[in-house]
Amino acid sequence: MTLIDGKATAATIKAEIKAEVERIVAAGGKRPHLAAVLVGHDGGSETYVRNKVLACEACGFRSSLIRYEDTITEAELLDCVKQLNEDADVDGFIVQLPLPKHISEQKVIEAIDYRKDVDGFHPINVGRMAIGLPCYISATPKGILELLRRYDIETSGKKCVVLGRSNIVGKPMAQLMMQKQYGDATVTVCHSRSRNLREECLAADIIIAAIGRPEFLTADMVKPGAVVIDVGTTRVPDATRPKGFRLCGDVDFANVASLCSHITPVPGGVGPMTICMLMLNTLAAGKREYYQ
Ligand code: NAP
């Protein structure tokens, strides 16, 4: 069994990005600039944005953090998006989700210039991804593709089961695993209404679990030699931990790991790759790799 080390892979990729940025700057090019918009004081969002700013520093990017109280109106936030769209120095930007209830997340996402949408949530990027055109691919599925590639895991022609059909993980993951230039696999998507989920998983060469149900995937659902990618990160109360909780994946790791050819741990698997892929998208934005 090979443990897929997302933390080490992410560190390697960040070092690669930094080296490329320094080459670009040394050749007279522009340092990539990522802006992040944070509304309110949600603990999780504060942590994510702080980690994104730190990742920018590690990659040699310029970063800007724009903060608003959660009393900001939708019109004011849309105006901020417009200004960032027009700011020639900003190569890419994100609006950290979730937003307060009185603001339409979809409206905000659609207001972002798709050429600066490094989160890959704008319908133009989602649509281009679905038909295999160059675009920003959202960070979590992109990170999983990168892990599969860097661990030389053969996906072409394999049977892949994706558990979950959310817009940010399950759906794009299934699309990418299906496409010839990415996974090239035969893909089945399971969700809360799937009836034969255990049998589907048992037949799979690759299982990507993204449902947010702690230890849902048990040993009796996994074929020996399968590759298991665990996207789940649920906070489970744990009095022995300093923060009072631990992060739990969707896979019963203790009993599944020995069956697998490869498996990602939680934490330290998919999670660290996510911010790292935002950095790769920002580098691409700085280089105008997908759009002029
Ligand atoms: P989500 O929007 O809540 O979607 C969950 C999906 O799982 C839905 O499609 C749901 O089916 C399905 N599901 C729920 N219970 C199920 C069950 N018992 N059997 C089969 N399918 C079931 O979640 P998400 O945003 O995709 O996130 C999934 C997990 O990944 C969460 O733990 C989240 O924290 C984690 N995550 C991690 C990262 C990372 O970077 N590591 C990034 C994003 C998300 P229905 O559609 O039928 O409701």
Side-chain angles (χ1 to χ4, degrees):
M1 185 272 288
T2 301
L3 194 65
I4 298 178
D5 189 340
K7 205 172 165 188
T9 308
T12 303
I13 294 172
K14 278 189 251 174
E16 289 168 6
I17 295 172
K18 184 167 175 53
E20 184 164 353
V21 168
E22 296 318 327
R23 275 198 300 275
I24 291 169
V25 172
K30 177 181 173 298
R31 197 173 281 285
H33 180 183
L34 175 73
V37 181
L38 176 59
V39 177
H41 298 275
D42 174 78
S45 295
E46 296 252 7
T47 307
Y48 288 134
V49 169
R50 191 172 49 244
N51 289 339
K52 287 169 188 177
V53 169
L54 287 174
C56 281
E57 281 169 22
C59 292
F61 296 165
R62 197 180 151 204
S63 67
S64 305
L65 175 57
I66 301 156
R67 298 200 64 143
Y68 292 105
E69 291 302 320
D70 53 17
T71 49
I72 187 175
T73 64
E74 186 177 274
E76 285 166 334
L77 187 57
L78 289 171
D79 193 51
C80 165
V81 167
K82 184 168 176 284
Q83 285 178 36
L84 289 169
N85 285 342
E86 290 167 359
D87 185 339
D89 194 67
V90 172
D91 299 297
F93 67 98
I94 60 153
V95 179
Q96 184 66 43
L97 303 178
L99 292 171
K101 296 259 178 300
H102 63 278
I103 299 176
S104 159
E105 289 186 352
Q106 197 55 33
K107 229 183 204 176
V108 171
I109 289 170
E110 290 187 37
I112 295 172
D113 184 332
Y114 66 91
R115 292 164 298 190
K116 295 190 177 188
D117 167 43
V118 284
D119 260 341
F121 292 158
H122 191 286
I124 291 184
N125 281 310
V126 177
R128 288 175 66 96
M129 183 270 293
I131 58 173
L133 293 177
C135 64
Y136 300 113
I137 294 173
S138 59
T140 303
K142 185 177 170 109
I144 292 169
L145 287 182
E146 196 66 27
L147 284 177
L148 293 170
R149 193 175 68 79
R150 289 191 181 237
Y151 275 81
D152 283 326
I153 295 169
E154 180 62 83
T155 57
S156 181
K158 297 291 167 90
K159 180 168 168 50
C160 173
V161 166
V162 177
L163 298 179
R165 56 177 165 184
S166 71
N167 286 341
I168 61 162
V169 191
K171 271 186 216 157
M173 196 69 245
Q175 287 275 1
L176 292 162
M177 288 304 289
M178 174 184 70
Q179 283 183 40
K180 204 169 202 141
Q181 81 249 46
Y182 298 113
D184 202 19
T186 304
V187 180
T188 303
V189 181
C190 295
H191 47 77
S192 68
R193 310 301 292 170
S194 299
R195 293 207 176 136
N196 50 350
L197 196 145
R198 182 174 169 272
E199 289 69 30
E200 292 290 358
C201 288
L202 258 180
D205 304 304
I206 302 164
I207 301 174
I208 302 174
I211 58 176
R213 299 276 178 272
E215 300 182 349
F216 177 89
L217 190 81
T218 47
D220 61 319
M221 299 164 80
V222 178
K223 178 169 82 172
V227 174
V228 172
I229 306 291
D230 191 352
V231 187
T233 44
T234 306
R235 287 182 176 188
V236 175
D238 185 341
T240 67
R241 303 293 172 99
K243 288 182 178 165
F245 67 85
R246 67 191 161 86
L247 280 188
C248 192
D250 288 343
V251 178
D252 175 12
F253 186 90
N255 295 304
V256 169
S258 61
L259 282 172
C260 300
S261 73
H262 295 77
I263 187 167
T264 59
V266 175
V270 173
M273 292 296 285
T274 298
I275 289 181
C276 186
M277 293 301 104
L278 175 67
M279 300 297 117
L280 261 191
N281 278 347
T282 304
L283 177 64
K287 291 161 66 183
R288 306 288 184 266
E289 203 165 303
Y290 307 135
Y291 307 112
Q292 285 309 306

